[in-house]
Amino acid sequence: MITIKLYVPLHDNDGIEKMNVHRDFIWRMKCMNKVIDDFIGGFTVSEAVGHWFDNDTHYEDKQRIYEFHVPDESESYLEVVQFLREQAKIMCKQLKQECIYMIIDNQQHFIEDK
């Protein structure tokens, strides 16, 4: 079983609350491709707070962590990872972020909207 986590901020970089981004993501998960649905089935959401420091400035970043557990069968696993990467790119753009933090089986990835 492979664990995939997406760390998604609750606000954009201008500090504006963006719960609609999270609602839209969950809606897309409900409407996803049948093959992906067979391998994800569901996911867990946790709340977290990240802290970032830039010189003398401290930023607090409230986030949601979406956690997926996927069988590590090669073809299906790769399809699920690709689908979640695309979702992370969409949210990255909507939230005006430099990247969305994604962990795939304890390996970190920074997903940009490019």
Side-chain angles (χ1 to χ4, degrees):
M1 193 67 72
I2 302 292
T3 300
I4 302 170
K5 294 182 184 181
L6 293 175
Y7 290 72
V8 184
L10 295 177
H11 298 81
D12 68 13
N13 269 353
D14 296 326
I16 298 169
E17 180 270 329
K18 292 288 186 170
M19 287 307 296
N20 63 312
V21 171
H22 294 267
R23 284 189 297 274
D24 290 349
F25 171 63
I26 291 171
W27 179 82
R28 288 191 304 272
M29 293 301 296
K30 287 182 190 178
C31 298
M32 67 188 161
N33 177 305
K34 177 68 174 142
V35 173
I36 293 171
D37 188 34
D38 288 343
F39 288 94
I40 291 179
F43 55 93
T44 301
V45 180
S46 304
E47 303 288 327
V49 178
H51 295 270
W52 312 99
F53 303 97
D54 184 19
N55 297 322
D56 293 335
T57 307
H58 171 224
Y59 299 96
E60 183 176 286
D61 191 14
K62 294 180 181 175
Q63 320 170 26
R64 281 195 167 167
I65 302 170
Y66 294 90
E67 184 173 331
F68 304 86
H69 299 279
V70 183
D72 55 354
E73 299 165 9
S74 59
E75 247 181 75
S76 302
Y77 158 72
L78 295 174
E79 190 174 345
V80 170
V81 168
Q82 183 59 32
F83 176 80
L84 292 174
R85 280 183 189 273
E86 291 302 317
Q87 297 309 306
K89 286 180 183 182
I90 290 167
M91 292 185 286
C92 185
K93 185 173 188 166
Q94 291 173 323
L95 292 166
K96 303 177 188 174
Q97 297 290 316
E98 288 184 28
C99 65
I100 296 291
Y101 188 59
M102 182 177 195
I103 297 177
I104 303 172
D105 222 21
N106 293 321
Q107 293 185 356
Q108 65 184 8
H109 303 266
F110 298 99
I111 310 300
E112 300 176 4
D113 72 341
K114 299 171 185 163

